[in-house]
Amino acid sequence: MSGRRRLGLVAAAATMMAAAPISTIYASWTWLIQCVVAVGVVCGAATAARSLRAPVWVQALAMAAGLLLITTWMFRSGDEFLGLLPSPETFAHFGALSGQAVEDMRGYGIPVPDRDGLLFFTVLGVGGVAIVVDLLTVGLRRPALAGLPMLAIYSVPVAIYPDSVPTLPFVIGAVGYLWLLVADNVERVRRFGRRFTGDGRDVDVWAPSPLAAAGRRLAVVGVVAAVAIPLAVPTFSGGLLTRLTQTTGAGPGNGPGGAGGAGKVDLFSALSGQLQSTETVPYLTVTTNDPNPYYLRFGVADNLTPEGFRNQAPNGRPANTEIQAPQVASSRLPQNTYSARIKVSERFEMPMLPVYANTTAVADVDSAWFYDPSLQIVYSNRRTAEDAEYSFTYISAEYTADALRRAPDLAPESTVRQQYTQRPDLTAEQQAAVERIVDDRTGNTTNQYDAVRALYEYFAKENGFTYSVQTKTGSTGSDLLDFLTNKTGYCQQYATALAWLVRQAGIPARVAFGFTRGAESAEPGTYTLTNQNLHAWTEVYFEGFGWVPFDATPASDVAGAARGDWAPDVDATETPTASAAPTTSTSAGPAPSTAPGERGDRETDELPIGGAPSAPAGPRWPWYLAAATIVLLALLAVPAVLRSATRRRRSAPASVASVAAAGGAGDETGRMTILGPSPELEKSRRDAHAAWAEMLDTMIDFRVEVNPAETPRNTVDRLTRSESLSPEAASAAAVLGSAEEHARYARTPLTGSDLGGALAQLRQGLSVHAGRRTRLRAALMPPSVLRHWKTAIGDRYAAVVGLFGRWRDAALRLSPRRLLARSR
């Protein structure tokens, strides 16, 4: 096989390796099979064109024709010529697939199913990149530029993935690109002939050369750095709404949960932590003309597993389009249409917009937001609600106990009943315990509402249930039975247990998440909702009425709780009279007056200090900015601090002892007799070297050239001439130069000189003639420190390279090729 054909195959393989990150988007591997086939056809068309020695533009046309044919075959409209050649109807079909892909991008979350429109886009995109990579690598011999279209493939999952793209697909794509570069390099070497050493021996094309070894080291370092650096960068948490987004589920859609979706959110995960928090965080401000609003909702958990309820992925249409009319039994119940406007704070970082049930229209939102009429939630695949401001209209139905009693039972084959009455498999003992509770409570009921009401009233305080965010563990092996046995929990346990028991009775039920009514402000109709208003409750489906809320959590323990006559407060001291006018959200018994941050009878050790709620916390970003600024300033001050410490150490008073006292004895004439080195003489020599090193660093700081090849005397002379030093500074430089000369070349170093004072005088002399910018840089960012760092890094790098070189030489000595050559 010729080198160009071989390089074309490598280009095709590298393109498919660069497409590895796409695996994080799809739920299955259909895309991979189709892309492999498409890229194979493109590579085959290019190879055939090169076999005919066609020019580059003919090769491009051949590859484009091959991609068109294989795309037509994969996504047939049924009107092709001979079943393969595209027709006008084929291109119209491609346009429809493109529109479907755009719609799917808005409506589906990660991982997405095998939708024809999305697969069409993927095959066409990867095939187009394969054409460009082949032309750049083989046709134009510019393989380095091929990294740009390959990077374009990788940028797609990076742009839409809710979390960081996994590391392995990036490494696979990087390896493919490096393989392409190496293959092109080998082909270039082969085109020039054989490689030889200086003594005439042949060297294999794959044998390492110094330049190639350096390139491979840089490539490995680059890939490792690209993978490791993002992992080391710290990120900030968004508090409750970030912790609510822990991945637990799966599904084809997206919804609440950071940049992810409802199919990847455990709505229970951090509810208890927020209810225990002593910090009150404002999330929403709601203004409505509804005199008795019920609960705002943003999520629904309807998939019952052995571990409890989990949410599934929503599926809806853009919220700014027409919304399907909700089922609220308009012919049976009085109803009113109200409007509401919500302003979201920057702390609410969830990809969902809280709304009231039975929403009929949403305004002031774009096409990035979707409405699921079944779950009755507004969600987004790629947006968060922070700082959003929107309005909507909704229907408030006045449910009554008498009306709900007349609701017909759902047929056994009803889809809603089959879906929302599913229960996980329990052990025989656990199942018997659940059935015993349900049978005891519903045995004498004759309709669906009375059965639900009996189970709802089971959670009254008179039956031993108490509210506490400090739950108790049990030994039953089931969280549901632990709660039903210990009878201690908060809204999560109450809502889950009631929904589970209702399903056991054969009635559809699910768990909703959102906010309680909250505290009304001085302005009528305006409510402020905080993290302390987060809540979970049960919804039960009634034929002809839709989903009706039942909140089994004690109203006195929930700030902003609301009750209706169909589900009154069973713990209230006064029972509503028969003549009381029914409403959708008035409490049967007024809850104690609580501030927005309090939760009724909660234990004193769960309240803020002093028993009062803490003040609403302000935005945290100023603290983050201040902390980042302090850290940055501290890092910038490191060179100046190190330079100052080094200067103080070097400028310490040198030894002033006389030569006679330090290391020799004089005779009658005063001449010295050298007796040998002493600690005092060694210290003087070290002081002189330190002072000279400080002088050189001072010159570097003030942008005076330093030549290591000069003698101290030449350096002093050049410094005095070039900088026009004052007599005092020139004398100080001469003292420092003389001390260094004696320390280097004389038997005894120069003593009795004030080297520290000379350094200070020289620095002052250089500063007089330096510009303001030079002086500021010498004080704040000394060039001498930066030069020392650069030198140290270079030395360390050279040591590491030398170490790897020794390891490589050792490995080459054990090469099978060399061992076989020696054995001959």
Side-chain angles (χ1 to χ4, degrees):
M1 181 181 296
S2 67
R4 292 166 62 87
R5 296 177 186 175
R6 185 186 301 107
L7 197 57
L9 293 177
V10 174
T15 302
M16 286 307 307
M17 294 176 71
I22 298 180
S23 61
T24 62
I25 300 178
Y26 283 95
S28 64
W29 295 96
T30 305
W31 74 273
L32 179 60
I33 299 174
Q34 293 181 340
C35 288
V36 168
V37 174
V39 173
V41 170
V42 169
C43 181
T47 303
R50 294 188 187 102
S51 299
L52 300 176
R53 300 185 180 276
V56 175
W57 65 269
V58 174
Q59 299 174 23
L61 289 179
M63 289 187 287
L67 179 60
L68 177 61
L69 291 177
I70 192 61
T71 306
T72 302
W73 178 75
M74 289 181 180
F75 304 97
R76 292 189 293 270
S77 65
D79 298 318
E80 288 76 19
F81 299 118
L82 302 178
L84 181 61
L85 300 179
S87 64
E89 290 78 8
T90 302
F91 293 102
H93 178 60
F94 287 169
L97 288 177
S98 301
Q100 177 187 336
V102 173
E103 191 70 20
D104 291 341
M105 290 176 189
R106 295 175 177 173
Y108 283 88
I110 296 174
V112 298
D114 292 334
R115 302 281 293 175
D116 287 342
L118 297 175
L119 291 174
F120 171 75
F121 257 27
T122 303
V123 172
L124 196 63
V126 174
V129 170
I131 293 176
V132 176
V133 171
D134 187 275
L135 289 175
L136 291 174
T137 303
V138 185
L140 302 179
R141 302 311 299 267
R142 295 291 186 272
L145 296 179
L148 295 178
M150 295 168 68
L151 183 62
I153 300 179
Y154 182 74
S155 65
V156 173
V158 170
I160 65 176
Y161 204 74
D163 305 308
S164 59
V165 178
T167 301
L168 182 59
F170 169 77
V171 174
I172 294 175
V175 170
Y177 179 58
L178 296 177
W179 180 22
L180 184 64
L181 296 179
V182 170
D184 177 75
N185 178 71
V186 171
E187 175 58 26
R188 289 176 183 271
V189 172
R190 284 174 172 165
R191 290 177 61 191
F192 282 102
R194 295 177 298 173
R195 292 175 54 195
F196 294 94
T197 61
D199 55 3
R201 290 185 296 105
D202 285 345
V203 179
D204 187 79
V205 70
W206 291 100
S209 67
L211 184 60
R216 283 191 290 271
R217 285 194 294 269
L218 291 176
V220 171
V221 171
V223 173
V224 172
V227 173
I229 291 177
L231 298 178
V233 175
T235 57
F236 296 116
S237 172
L240 161 72
L241 289 318
T242 299
R243 292 192 295 271
L244 278 176
T245 61
Q246 303 303 314
T247 299
T248 57
N254 247 353
K264 292 194 171 188
V265 180
D266 182 358
L267 291 170
F268 293 98
S269 61
L271 192 57
S272 60
Q274 282 297 303
L275 298 183
Q276 293 181 32
S277 174
T278 59
E279 179 187 18
T280 301
V281 181
Y283 282 149
L284 312 173
T285 300
V286 185
T287 302
T288 178
N289 57 357
D290 188 347
N292 293 300
Y294 200 67
Y295 295 164
L296 281 169
R297 56 194 294 113
F298 57 68
V300 172
D302 52 11
N303 181 27
L304 185 55
T305 69
E307 292 77 25
F309 279 88
R310 293 293 181 266
N311 54 292
Q312 299 188 68
N315 186 17
R317 298 184 60 83
N320 57 0
T321 60
E322 183 180 358
I323 292 179
Q324 178 181 343
Q327 183 186 35
V328 292
S330 58
S331 62
R332 304 184 184 187
L333 295 176
Q335 59 175 299
N336 297 289
T337 300
Y338 297 107
S339 62
R341 187 162 189 84
I342 295 182
K343 182 175 178 57
V344 185
S345 75
E346 63 181 8
R347 301 290 295 276
F348 192 80
E349 299 175 349
M350 299 184 80
M352 57 192 71
L353 300 178
V355 293
Y356 289 116
N358 302 321
T359 298
T360 57
V362 182
D364 302 325
V365 296
D366 55 25
S367 58
W369 294 97
F370 298 84
Y371 181 76
D372 187 323
S374 176
L375 302 180
Q376 299 185 28
I377 63 173
V378 179
Y379 67 98
S380 176
N381 296 331
R382 56 183 68 90
R383 294 277 187 87
T384 58
E386 53 185 329
D387 293 326
E389 189 170 355
Y390 58 98
S391 59
F392 58 95
T393 58
Y394 62 97
I395 296 176
S396 177
E398 298 180 2
Y399 300 111
T400 64
D402 292 337
L404 293 176
R405 281 193 182 95
R406 293 192 297 269
D409 293 339
L410 286 171
E413 63 273 10
S414 169
T415 303
V416 175
R417 180 168 185 171
Q418 292 179 358
Q419 178 179 355
Y420 291 101
T421 58
Q422 293 181 356
R423 302 178 301 279
D425 294 332
L426 302 176
T427 64
E429 182 179 357
Q430 293 172 344
Q431 185 65 30
V434 175
E435 291 178 354
R436 183 166 55 252
I437 295 174
V438 175
D439 293 342
D440 290 345
R441 304 297 301 185
T442 65
N444 298 325
T445 60
T446 58
N447 58 75
Q448 176 175 303
Y449 170 74
D450 286 339
V452 175
R453 180 69 176 268
L455 295 173
Y456 170 77
E457 294 177 350
Y458 171 65
F459 294 94
K461 290 183 178 180
E462 66 179 14
N463 293 326
F465 285 90
T466 57
Y467 180 93
S468 175
V469 293
Q470 303 294 337
T471 58
K472 299 179 180 179
T473 59
S475 58
T476 64
S478 168
D479 292 339
L480 168 66
L481 292 179
D482 287 343
F483 172 68
L484 295 177
T485 301
N486 299 323
K487 299 185 177 182
T488 300
Y490 57 102
C491 59
Q492 170 179 323
Q493 283 75 34
Y494 280 92
T496 301
L498 177 58
W500 198 322
L501 295 181
V502 170
R503 285 196 176 192
Q504 181 63 40
I507 304 171
R510 64 189 186 184
V511 176
F513 291 84
F515 295 89
T516 61
R517 181 190 301 175
E520 189 171 11
S521 63
E523 182 180 353
T526 300
Y527 300 85
T528 300
L529 305 180
T530 71
N531 59 321
Q532 299 296 324
N533 296 116
L534 288 166
H535 194 49
W537 63 95
T538 306
E539 292 184 337
V540 181
Y541 188 85
F542 289 85
E543 180 67 20
F545 295 85
W547 293 98
V548 180
F550 286 81
D551 188 0
T553 309
S556 60
D557 294 296
V558 180
R563 294 292 186 270
D565 71 338
W566 76 95
D569 184 0
V570 296
D571 299 313
T573 55
E574 295 182 1
T575 304
T577 61
S579 61
T583 64
T584 60
S585 55
T586 54
S587 176
S593 175
T594 57
E598 298 176 333
R599 299 193 68 87
D601 317 316
R602 186 186 297 175
E603 293 82 356
T604 56
D605 60 347
E606 296 170 12
L607 289 172
I609 298 176
S614 58
R620 296 184 180 180
W621 67 265
W623 296 101
Y624 294 148
L625 180 60
T629 303
I630 293 174
V631 172
L632 179 60
L633 292 177
L635 292 176
L636 292 177
V638 168
V641 172
L642 292 178
R643 184 73 182 91
S644 178
T646 303
R647 185 182 303 115
R648 287 195 300 270
R649 175 173 52 82
R650 290 171 173 174
S651 301
S655 173
V656 295
S658 66
V659 175
D667 54 15
E668 308 83 46
T669 62
R671 290 178 298 182
M672 292 295 304
T673 302
I674 304 302
L675 300 179
S678 67
E680 289 79 6
L681 289 178
E682 292 300 322
K683 183 179 183 306
S684 297
R685 183 172 281 107
R686 289 195 301 269
D687 290 343
H689 290 322
W692 181 253
E694 176 60 27
M695 174 181 165
L696 296 182
D697 285 348
T698 302
M699 293 171 61
I700 294 173
D701 290 341
F702 286 96
R703 295 187 175 183
V704 179
E705 181 183 357
V706 173
N707 186 357
E710 287 182 335
T711 63
R713 183 173 301 179
N714 291 337
T715 300
V716 170
D717 292 342
R718 179 172 56 82
L719 175 63
T720 304
R721 292 193 306 272
S722 63
E723 299 301 317
S724 302
L725 295 179
S726 64
E728 294 80 6
S731 176
V735 169
L736 295 172
S738 178
E740 177 65 12
E741 278 188 335
H742 281 74
R744 288 187 187 183
Y745 311 121
R747 290 186 176 183
T748 58
L750 183 66
T751 60
S753 299
D754 184 9
L755 301 182
L759 287 172
Q761 206 166 31
L762 175 62
R763 184 176 183 86
Q764 183 178 3
L766 290 175
S767 177
V768 169
H769 298 283
R772 179 181 303 176
R773 184 176 179 181
T774 301
R775 291 197 300 270
L776 287 177
R777 186 177 181 185
L780 302 179
M781 193 65 61
S784 60
V785 176
L786 302 181
R787 175 177 290 192
H788 287 314
W789 285 355
K790 182 178 179 181
T791 303
I793 293 174
D795 293 341
R796 298 297 184 275
Y797 177 76
V800 172
V801 171
L803 179 62
F804 277 107
R806 291 191 294 273
W807 287 354
R808 183 197 62 188
D809 294 340
L812 288 177
R813 295 191 189 96
L814 302 177
S815 171
R817 184 185 304 170
R818 292 194 175 187
L819 294 177
L820 290 175
R822 293 175 181 175
S823 63
R824 294 176 183 175

